[in-house]
Amino acid sequence: MKLLKEILRRGFKGMAIGVFLIYTIGFIFVLVSGQKQIITSSFFIKQYIAGAVIGFSFGVLNLLYQVDKLGIIESTIIHFLGICIVFFPMAYYADWVGNDSMSIIEALVILMISYFFIWFFCYVGWKKQINIHISLTVQQTQATEWAMPLCATR
């Protein structure tokens, strides 16, 4: 039950972020293009569904990094493959990627580059948090060891 709650919590958080990003990126493209765009309800719904499914999946797939049996490399490979399995059908559904090989290759290259940069910055952040946690734990242990003889003499 606890795992299901965590899956849903991360999934819905990811879904909200995904929908927000899809519409923000779309809005920026419309502004940059300078052209008037007519957005149909079917286009709007497709974008929402794609953003929601991709975001939910990304949020849930991040749980892989918490599995103790998996190392960072295994987690990253499985995470990336999971993202590809979800992203490409949704990208095709939302008309972000055509069905020709060049479009798929371009999308894969963009996804890989984006994934690498996001992963790298997350890794740096995780490493910094781990080092802070280790440092605090060492300080607490040293403070406890220092205080123990004083307590024992009383």
Side-chain angles (χ1 to χ4, degrees), residues 6-19 55-56 58-60:
E6 186 64 17
I7 287 170
L8 292 175
R9 186 184 75 75
R10 287 180 183 241
F12 285 117
K13 183 178 177 182
M15 189 168 84
I17 293 169
V19 170
F56 190 92
F58 281 27
V60 172

Side-chain angles (χ1 to χ4, degrees), residues 9 16 24 27 29 52 56 59 87 111 115 146 152:
R9 186 184 75 75
T24 302
F27 182 71
F29 277 123
F56 190 92
F87 177 79
L111 179 63
Y115 188 88
W146 180 258

Side-chain angles (χ1 to χ4, degrees), residues 17-99:
I17 293 169
V19 170
F20 171 77
L21 287 174
I22 293 303
Y23 284 120
T24 302
I25 291 168
F27 182 71
I28 290 169
F29 277 123
V30 169
L31 286 177
V32 169
S33 73
Q35 299 175 354
K36 292 184 179 182
Q37 302 288 328
I38 298 175
I39 298 175
T40 63
S41 60
S42 65
F43 177 81
F44 187 78
I45 291 168
K46 276 185 173 184
Q47 302 310 304
Y48 181 88
I49 291 171
V53 169
I54 291 169
F56 190 92
S57 302
F58 281 27
V60 172
L61 284 168
N62 284 338
L63 283 170
L64 286 168
Y65 290 105
Q66 307 225 334
V67 176
D68 292 332
K69 294 178 185 177
L70 295 174
I72 189 77
I73 293 172
E74 294 91 353
S75 296
T76 301
I77 291 169
I78 296 168
H79 185 263
F80 181 74
L81 292 174
I83 285 175
C84 287
I85 289 169
V86 173
F87 177 79
F88 281 103
M90 286 290 97
Y92 179 75
Y93 167 77
D95 298 322
W96 302 339
V97 177
N99 61 355

